[in-house]
Amino acid sequence: MSSLLAHDTGTGSPPDRGDPRTVRLLTPDGVRQTSGEYAARVADLDDAALLGLYTDMVVIRRIDQEATALQRQGELALWPPLLGQEAAQIGSARALEHDDFVFSSYREHGVAWVRGATTAELCRVWRGIAVAGWDPYRIGMATPQVIIGAQTLHATGYAIGAKYDGAASAVVSYFGDGATSEGDTSEAMVFAVTYGAPVVFFCQNNQWAISEPVGLQAPTGIAARAAGFGLPSVTVDGNDVLAVLAVTREALERARAGEGPSFIEAVTYRMGPHTTADDPTRYRTADEVEAWKAKDPVARLAAYLRGTGALTDDVDAEVAATAQRAAAALRADCTALGEPDGESIFDDVYAEPHPVLEAQRTRFLAYREGFEEER
Amino acid sequence: MSATMTLGGAIGAGLRQAMTADPKVLLLGEDIGKLGGVYRVTDGLQRDFGPQRVMDTPLAESGILGTAVGLAYRGYRPVCEIQFDGFVYPAFDQIVSQVSRMHARTKGAVTMPITIRIPVGGGIGSAEHHSDSPEAYFAHTPGLRVMSVADPQSAYSLIQEAVACDDPVLFFEPKRRYHLKGEVATDGAPAAGGMSRARVLRHGTDVTVLTFGGLVQVALDAAEAASEEGLSLEVIDLVSLSPIDWPAVTESVRRTGRAVVVHEAAQTGGIGAELAAGITERCFFHLEHAVVRVTGWDIPYPPAKLERHHLPDLDRVLDGVDAALGRPSSYGEQAFA
């Protein structure tokens, strides 16, 4: 089969393609690297802290699994699974401070969980009863963005504002490999560099934008693009929670020190479908998925912690029980979410009075009144 | 206190007032700093308020609006200048998908008090993409407010009201009127609510002429010419295109029984269509004639030497008035084939 494209786009690039510049602190079989610049940035993480990261990852994977089940059972309209991206999300989110702010896409359940979103808030959008799950200012995270790449500009604007305020806040914008093709993402990098915005562009390269492989978006690589915009970039093994934490800490430190924006490419893999409505068997091979299973981010940290003796069967059972409680809470909170009154669709369209819309609300109510006997 | 100002100068003075009143107000746009904008509306503001509050931006309109969304998220009150009407389209996604929806999306947690200033319309012999009238795209979009100004006094007051408004406002500035001079009262706060109220600029009894922005003076001139023939035209400056001030429109049209809508933008799906439908709904039994639209043709904006064939002028307004009165006009059956 011939290709119209100059480069093979048939598959994503593996994280261990032998590029020595890819930051990795835990090998796929769980050996921790303890020397070097990045190892030093996470040297403070003892076994207890690592168990905390492990618990986060297991819990969010279990929540993700439960949400997928809830969709299959008709309780959620849709769910975009994060399976496989736990380390990229937990590692980066755990680098954030309280006053930092996040602008994400729609798959960042792990980030939202770490920021403090409740189980009810995680599923409100996907149950189809709201278009935003939470109050952004309560958890320091904007509501998930559906337009690909649009949030990179919002993050940049917020970061410019934080800089003008003299605040110590830094901002992280999460987006995927597909978003790197959007004009907004390029414009965001231009604005961020021009104004020295304290923003971190965190790209989860999960190899697939629905059915389009990363090679179709970026045949010559993603992280290298940043240099053209004038911002430093790093490629990190996105399935290595320690390495992700280390590079995010570095980028946030740079932002807070007034040294401007940075770019992180976390190379990972979307183990599941794009959403519960997708069928990935139409565009990728089982072999590819199997190959990535061997680099599972949760199993990797487990292997390391079992090696140190921190993760015993008993401890793992406790972690699993914690995850099970979270899943049960998700199910209970999700199914308890009622449908808002229909009239609420007229609320908050405007912040100030709007007579034309109010007239439509009145007509809606009058119309509905006509059905009162049937209700 | 009052001063003689051009319309452009009055907007600049209004922005200066808004920036003085609220330190969260900041300006973003291309060439708005040292140059003062290609129409000099922001002249002197960067000098007096600094580059942080008057930001010359990279040439990226989506970038300007997307950055403004983030600034608004952070508590700022951004005023974006789009250099020319025809340059707003790269920002369309951020305006329609983000700016307009954020307040509803977040159930009111996040406000978008963003003012989007756009020099608008033709009549100035300019290049392609420098004479568009894109207001209907935005008036069609829930969550936005859309308005146009026509003279220095209202420009001075209404820009301050737009900036103070907690909703996003598209603020259209008619380029052909930028240099119009007028006396502007600068003391006291602007009257609240002015930005959503139409203004009856000339009282009349035979036909209501509804227009806005650059064609307000054309309509007033037409009314003056018509009066010489013994016709009494009522001229209304709509000011707000979303929401439309229906009580004002309805009161007038019920009285005159005839309405002519005048705008530069193409006819199909324009503001005139909304007015014609809304007037029919509200004034059906008072109407003596169908609502008449005098608009630009449904064509891409023509080259400068030909724009006079496209733009409604005094004679075309009077032709529309004739149609509304059931007199001979270009609006014969062939016009509606």
Side-chain angles (χ1 to χ4, degrees):
Chain A
M1 202 173 78
S2 70
S3 171
L4 291 172
L5 297 156
H7 298 269
D8 175 24
T9 63
T11 176
S13 44
D16 53 346
R17 60 194 155 189
D19 185 343
R21 289 167 299 182
T22 298
V23 178
R24 181 182 299 129
L25 298 175
L26 272 181
T27 64
D29 41 5
V31 179
R32 181 175 181 177
Q33 187 181 325
T34 52
S35 66
E37 178 199 351
Y38 287 106
R41 290 188 178 278
V42 288
D44 58 308
L45 268 78
D46 56 14
D47 282 356
L50 287 171
L51 261 181
L53 293 175
Y54 176 73
T55 303
D56 285 341
M57 288 163 64
V58 170
V59 166
I60 199 61
R61 176 172 286 192
R62 183 68 188 85
I63 284 175
D64 190 62
Q65 181 192 35
E66 192 70 11
T68 300
L70 285 164
Q71 192 279 331
R72 296 299 184 230
Q73 292 155 4
E75 297 291 347
L76 295 179
L78 192 74
W79 181 258
L82 63 63
L83 185 66
Q85 298 177 222
E86 295 86 353
Q89 295 189 13
I90 300 298
S92 55
R94 282 294 175 205
L96 291 162
E97 302 287 343
H98 179 270
D99 287 343
D100 294 339
F101 211 87
V102 170
F103 288 83
S104 79
S105 183
Y106 45 76
R107 203 183 301 284
E108 280 69 60
H109 317 301
V111 179
W113 181 249
V114 169
R115 295 303 281 165
T118 65
T119 45
E121 288 171 338
L122 284 179
C123 56
R124 190 171 281 137
V125 168
W126 309 104
R127 194 164 166 81
I129 58 165
V131 285
W134 52 79
D135 178 343
Y137 299 118
R138 188 180 71 73
I139 67 168
M141 179 169 176
T143 59
Q145 178 56 243
V146 176
I147 300 292
I148 301 299
Q151 75 279 13
T152 57
L153 280 166
H154 306 166
T156 301
Y158 188 97
I160 292 169
K163 183 182 175 180
Y164 287 176
D165 293 341
S169 305
V171 183
V172 178
S173 178
Y174 288 88
F175 53 99
D177 40 297
T180 62
S181 296
E182 291 282 0
D184 277 359
T185 306
S186 290
E187 293 186 22
M189 287 192 272
V190 171
F191 276 65
V193 170
T194 294
Y195 300 109
V199 58
V200 177
F201 295 100
F202 192 95
C203 176
Q204 289 174 86
N205 172 5
N206 71 6
Q207 313 300 324
W208 292 96
I210 306 190
S211 73
E212 297 195 346
V214 64
L216 193 139
Q217 317 290 343
T220 56
I222 289 174
R225 284 185 186 171
F229 293 95
L231 67 167
S233 72
V234 62
T235 302
V236 63
D237 183 338
N239 286 8
D240 174 350
V241 71
L242 263 187
V244 171
L245 181 67
V247 298
T248 313
R249 278 182 172 181
E250 178 191 38
L252 288 169
E253 193 176 294
R254 182 182 293 131
R256 292 201 190 91
E259 291 165 24
S262 324
F263 190 102
I264 295 169
E265 178 191 6
V267 181
T268 180
Y269 193 74
R270 193 194 77 209
M271 297 294 295
H274 165 66
T275 68
T276 46
D278 180 34
D279 174 11
T281 65
R282 291 178 69 91
Y283 52 80
R284 67 186 189 188
T285 65
D287 285 352
E288 179 184 307
V289 179
E290 281 307 309
W292 278 92
K293 270 187 189 165
K295 301 160 198 159
D296 186 289
V298 181
R300 183 183 306 198
L301 185 56
Y304 170 73
L305 288 171
R306 285 203 175 263
T308 67
L311 187 65
T312 61
D313 286 349
D314 284 351
V315 172
D316 213 8
E318 268 176 49
V319 173
T322 302
Q324 186 54 35
R325 281 194 296 277
L330 180 82
R331 174 168 291 274
D333 292 346
C334 172
T335 53
L337 282 175
E339 188 178 310
D341 185 83
E343 188 196 345
S344 68
I345 60 177
F346 294 94
D347 296 343
D348 300 315
V349 177
Y350 294 91
E352 299 191 9
H354 192 286
V356 171
L357 186 61
E358 284 313 303
Q360 291 185 13
R361 181 200 294 267
T362 302
R363 183 151 59 86
F364 170 86
L365 292 174
Y367 174 76
R368 196 169 65 170
E369 191 80 3
F371 292 90
E372 278 302 312
E373 291 117 50
E374 295 170 37
R375 285 168 79 221
Chain B
M1 224 166 49
S2 77
T4 304
M5 294 183 194
T6 62
L7 186 148
I11 295 170
L15 287 171
R16 178 179 292 277
Q17 275 297 110
M19 295 181 78
T20 305
D22 182 352
K24 289 294 186 185
V25 174
L26 49 77
L27 275 45
L28 304 87
E30 297 158 4
D31 303 302
I32 66 169
K34 266 190 185 161
L35 184 66
V38 294
Y39 286 102
R40 309 291 183 269
V41 169
T42 55
D43 189 30
L45 294 179
Q46 191 183 61
R47 181 195 63 217
D48 296 342
F49 291 95
Q52 194 163 299
R53 294 190 66 195
V54 182
M55 298 165 67
D56 270 325
T57 64
L59 268 66
E61 288 78 11
S62 190
I64 292 170
L65 263 297
T67 299
V69 168
L71 284 161
Y73 234 107
R74 179 75 197 178
Y76 283 86
R77 199 169 275 276
V79 181
C80 303
E81 176 175 308
I82 299 295
Q83 194 159 65
F84 286 97
D85 37 50
F87 300 175
V88 74
Y89 309 117
F92 197 69
D93 176 61
Q94 285 288 346
I95 297 172
V96 169
S97 300
Q98 310 299 334
V99 174
S100 72
R101 297 168 187 239
M102 197 65 81
H103 190 261
R105 181 184 292 156
T106 60
K107 290 263 163 230
V110 182
T111 52
M112 288 283 122
I114 299 174
T115 304
I116 305 168
R117 295 182 38 242
I118 307 181
V120 72
I124 56 165
S126 201
E128 197 185 4
H129 311 297
H130 290 64
S131 301
D132 282 12
S133 294
E135 67 274 359
Y137 299 122
F138 303 104
H140 184 66
T141 302
L144 301 176
R145 293 174 189 271
V146 183
M147 57 186 299
S148 186
V149 290
D151 60 72
Q153 178 68 67
S154 59
Y156 174 79
S157 300
L158 297 181
I159 187 64
Q160 294 179 63
E161 220 181 300
V163 173
C165 180
D166 279 341
D167 288 315
V169 178
L170 276 288
F171 190 88
F172 285 103
E173 305 169 0
K175 294 192 286 283
R176 64 163 84 184
R177 309 296 289 168
Y178 263 144
H179 302 293
L180 170 77
K181 282 185 181 162
E183 204 61 18
V184 174
T186 54
D187 44 357
M195 63 180 269
S196 53
R197 272 204 292 274
R199 304 183 303 159
V200 180
L201 296 183
R202 182 182 175 116
H203 291 277
T205 53
D206 295 328
V207 178
T208 301
V209 180
L210 300 155
T211 189
F212 53 92
L215 292 184
V216 166
Q217 190 58 47
V218 172
L220 287 170
D221 292 346
E224 186 61 30
S227 74
E228 288 161 20
E229 298 174 24
L231 272 178
S232 170
L233 304 189
E234 179 142 309
V235 177
I236 293 183
D237 174 7
L238 290 165
V239 180
S240 178
L241 309 178
S242 179
I244 287 168
D245 182 357
W246 286 113
V249 171
T250 303
E251 188 282 322
S252 175
V253 176
R254 284 186 180 172
R255 192 158 32 74
T256 62
R258 301 172 200 272
V260 175
V261 188
V262 184
H263 60 63
E264 287 187 29
Q267 177 174 290
T268 300
I271 295 295
E274 181 60 28
L275 280 160
I279 288 169
T280 307
E281 289 165 343
R282 291 169 175 81
C283 311
F284 186 73
F285 294 105
H286 298 78
L287 287 177
E288 304 288 342
H289 192 279
V291 177
V292 173
R293 288 179 283 173
V294 179
T295 70
W297 308 111
D298 285 359
I299 58 170
Y301 201 88
K305 296 285 189 199
L306 301 178
E307 68 178 344
R308 70 182 188 281
H309 301 296
H310 176 65
L311 292 171
D313 58 10
L314 183 150
D315 287 323
R316 282 192 54 203
V317 173
L318 293 179
D319 181 49
V321 168
D322 282 339
L325 288 164
R327 298 171 169 182
S329 74
S330 69
Y331 292 78
E333 262 182 42
Q334 79 285 349
F336 305 105

